[in-house]
Amino acid sequence: MQTSFQTPPANQPAPKLVRFLVKNAAIGFMVAAVFVGAILTFNIGNLGTVFDQSGVGIFAIALMTFMIGLTFASLQMGFAIMLAARNDDHDQDGPGDPVDAHDDMLRAGLQPLPMPAESKKSRR
């Protein structure tokens, strides 16, 4: 049985979206490394001293950097995705025109459902 999924050739570049996400994740990890460096340099919460006196200080610093890096990388990717959508949005501010939305739905092959109108007497 043959699957429809095939491995891309090794010399093919990564898709633009993947490169975009990896680049922003790397930015998030770099910001996290600077953040952890500032925490240790300024000894915030006495963490620099605790890690220095601990036997597993290097492991703890690496783990803290990785965990904060995951958080900052996901935040950076989320910001980048949301701001990229804003750059592509050429519509006017505010809600769109309902007639345009209706036309778009018809072009997509969607049909409105007939709804019976309620009389004012039946609502009371």
Side-chain angles (χ1 to χ4, degrees):
M1 177 178 201
Q2 185 178 3
T3 63
S4 61
F5 299 107
Q6 296 179 357
T7 306
N11 59 355
Q12 184 178 3
K16 287 183 180 180
L17 180 61
V18 173
R19 285 184 279 151
F20 175 75
L21 291 176
V22 168
K23 179 183 78 168
N24 283 289
I27 291 170
F29 271 102
M30 287 188 293
V31 171
V34 171
F35 182 73
V36 170
I39 287 174
L40 297 176
T41 301
F42 296 115
N43 201 18
I44 296 174
N46 212 19
L47 284 175
T49 305
V50 170
F51 291 155
D52 189 37
Q53 295 175 356
S54 172
V56 291
I58 297 297
F59 177 73
I61 291 171
L63 186 64
M64 184 171 82
T65 304
F66 179 72
M67 293 300 174
I68 292 175
L70 282 178
T71 303
F72 282 18
S74 61
L75 284 171
Q76 176 62 30
M77 287 189 300
F79 284 144
I81 289 170
M82 289 183 224
L83 291 175
R86 179 172 294 163
N87 292 340
D88 293 341
D89 190 14
H90 299 294
D91 295 338
Q92 71 276 4
D93 290 339
D97 187 13
V99 174
D100 291 339
H102 183 262
D103 293 342
D104 290 340
M105 287 189 293
L106 291 177
R107 274 193 294 272
L110 301 174
Q111 295 294 323
L113 293 174
M115 298 294 291
E118 290 184 29
S119 66
K120 291 183 179 181
K121 292 179 183 177
S122 66
R123 282 192 240 165
R124 293 182 185 183

